[in-house]
Amino acid sequence: MKRSYMPPLVAGLAIATLAASSSAAAQTVLRASHQFPGGQGDVRDEMVQLMAERVADADVGLEVEVYPGQSLFKAREQWAALSRGRLDITALPLDYASGRHPEFSATLMPGLVRNHEHAQRLNDSEFMGMIKDVIQEGGARVLADAWLAGGFASSDRCITSPDTVEGQNFRAAGPAFEEMLEAAGASITSMPSSDIYTAMQTGVLDAANTSSMSFVSYRIYEQVECLTEPGEHALWFMYEPILIAEQSWQKLDEAQQQALMEAGQDAEEFFAEQAAGLDQQMVDVFEENGVEVVSMSEEDYNAWLEIAKQSAYKNFAENVPDGQALIDAALAVD
């Protein structure tokens, strides 16, 4: 029987091509989506990009493709897509999913987190264990923790004591802050932080609260007259973790799971180093753009907290499964 002859060089190229093809076929690709501007210094985008780099360096047949700026899913669509396995990874303000899981509103409860150090201690607490149980039951798991401080900004007047919000049309980020602000006399319009700029530009909003990073990334300083920084009395802290769909997680082998967990730890440590500086960065950017910057006094803070306890805290405890237990667990963390 006649055999065809293949020159050694051609045979080598064929083997290499076959190996490359096999390697490409074995590569698992995960899609990561978030709402924040990409490549513009937003720490949440940088966390996800860092994870993608670390996973690639691990060389375990895994790739993370990052889709910033709502280029894959809109902000409010990400939790549903994740929990159903249509999206693999997201960096998500968790309270955005409180319509499906009302327990998540505890992660944006006025005054429940006092400062960045307190937020770090919460990460390993019973409170966060309860929240992460709900995340897992909902079809996802946490790869990296992140708590961002935030403040208030207005095109009308500076926001300090509760009476200063009366009559202003406000974006408040989640149900707990909405309830508190309504109790103080504000009108509420709900939207993701990515829509604040346009809403202020068109007069739909007079004021908003959001994270220090979002105030900068979305250039809110172009639309407001006064900023209330977090300062020593920060009412606003929001949990914005990096999550992976449980369906996606279960499809990975052990080496790939380990690479993702290590990448998540690197991203979390990176964020912890940046967190406190984000607030000062916001203050600097707003002042450079001619915006007045003020702080709440302890008296202002306590007045707000009293309103929150009679509105947001009370409603959460009465209407959310384990609501009071979640509040108590958070308050137990010194």
Side-chain angles (χ1 to χ4, degrees):
M1 177 171 144
K2 186 175 179 181
R3 301 189 179 205
S4 58
Y5 171 72
M6 182 178 291
L9 179 59
V10 176
L13 289 171
I15 292 170
T17 300
L18 181 63
S21 174
S22 175
S23 174
Q27 187 86 350
T28 299
V29 177
L30 300 179
R31 298 185 305 164
S33 167
H34 65 73
Q35 73 190 65
F36 312 108
Q40 297 181 34
D42 190 295
V43 70
R44 294 156 295 192
D45 174 61
E46 291 180 340
M47 287 176 72
V48 180
Q49 299 287 356
L50 176 62
M51 285 188 63
E53 291 174 10
R54 294 290 190 269
V55 166
D57 292 343
D59 194 22
V60 290
L62 186 62
E63 178 185 356
V64 177
E65 294 179 346
V66 183
Y67 296 84
Q70 305 187 90
S71 57
L72 189 60
F73 287 97
K74 297 296 184 184
R76 299 286 190 184
E77 298 172 350
Q78 292 178 132
W79 172 261
L82 191 79
S83 62
R84 294 169 184 166
R86 295 172 51 225
L87 172 63
D88 301 305
I89 293 173
T90 187
L92 181 73
L94 192 65
D95 197 30
Y96 283 14
S98 61
R100 294 174 181 268
H101 301 281
E103 298 93 337
F104 292 165
S105 282
T107 63
L108 184 58
M109 186 68 68
L112 206 61
V113 182
R114 295 188 296 276
N115 51 51
H116 291 285
E117 292 76 16
H118 187 215
Q120 287 293 308
R121 293 194 296 275
L122 274 176
N123 285 338
D124 298 317
S125 69
E126 178 188 2
F127 169 74
M128 282 309 300
M130 295 169 72
I131 292 294
K132 288 178 180 179
D133 284 345
V134 179
I135 291 172
Q136 190 114 28
E137 290 166 7
R141 64 173 61 208
V142 176
L143 294 174
D145 294 312
W147 288 89
L148 281 84
F152 299 75
S154 174
S155 60
D156 183 46
R157 59 186 179 272
C158 292
I159 296 165
T160 50
S161 58
D163 62 288
T164 58
V165 304
E166 188 171 354
Q168 295 202 60
N169 199 5
F170 229 104
R171 182 268 182 184
F177 265 86
E178 289 177 355
E179 289 163 0
M180 181 189 73
L181 286 163
E182 279 187 312
S187 299
I188 301 299
T189 301
S190 299
M191 65 186 69
S193 56
S194 49
D195 292 346
I196 293 174
Y197 186 99
T198 301
M200 284 194 148
Q201 188 178 45
T202 56
V204 172
L205 291 180
D206 301 309
N209 57 11
T210 190
S211 70
S212 298
M213 191 76 264
S214 289
F215 270 129
V216 175
S217 293
Y218 294 123
R219 308 190 320 280
I220 308 302
Y221 48 83
E222 296 180 358
Q223 299 298 328
V224 299
E225 297 297 327
C226 189
L227 169 74
T228 308
E229 63 166 326
E232 295 181 10
H233 306 290
L235 271 176
W236 200 102
F237 264 87
M238 189 176 199
Y239 183 56
E240 303 190 24
I242 298 177
L243 306 172
I244 184 170
E246 188 65 21
Q247 291 184 42
S248 303
W249 176 262
Q250 294 300 336
K251 293 175 183 177
L252 303 177
D253 63 35
E254 187 175 342
Q256 292 169 334
Q257 291 177 347
Q258 182 65 26
L260 265 179
M261 290 303 293
E262 291 177 358
Q265 184 61 37
D266 287 347
E268 188 174 316
E269 291 173 1
F270 167 76
F271 173 79
E273 293 171 358
Q274 304 291 317
L278 301 178
D279 302 336
Q280 187 58 50
Q281 177 188 347
M282 173 184 66
V283 170
D284 293 344
V285 169
F286 273 65
E287 287 182 337
E288 288 167 5
N289 283 273
V291 177
E292 182 180 0
V293 177
V294 300
S295 302
M296 284 188 188
S297 67
E298 185 175 2
E299 183 181 0
D300 293 334
Y301 175 86
N302 289 333
W304 276 114
L305 201 55
E306 189 58 35
I307 292 173
K309 287 176 179 178
Q310 296 303 316
S311 54
Y313 281 57
K314 183 174 183 290
N315 292 337
F316 188 81
E318 291 177 352
N319 300 316
V320 176
D322 294 324
Q324 188 61 58
L326 278 162
I327 291 173
D328 291 344
L331 293 174
V333 179
D334 294 329

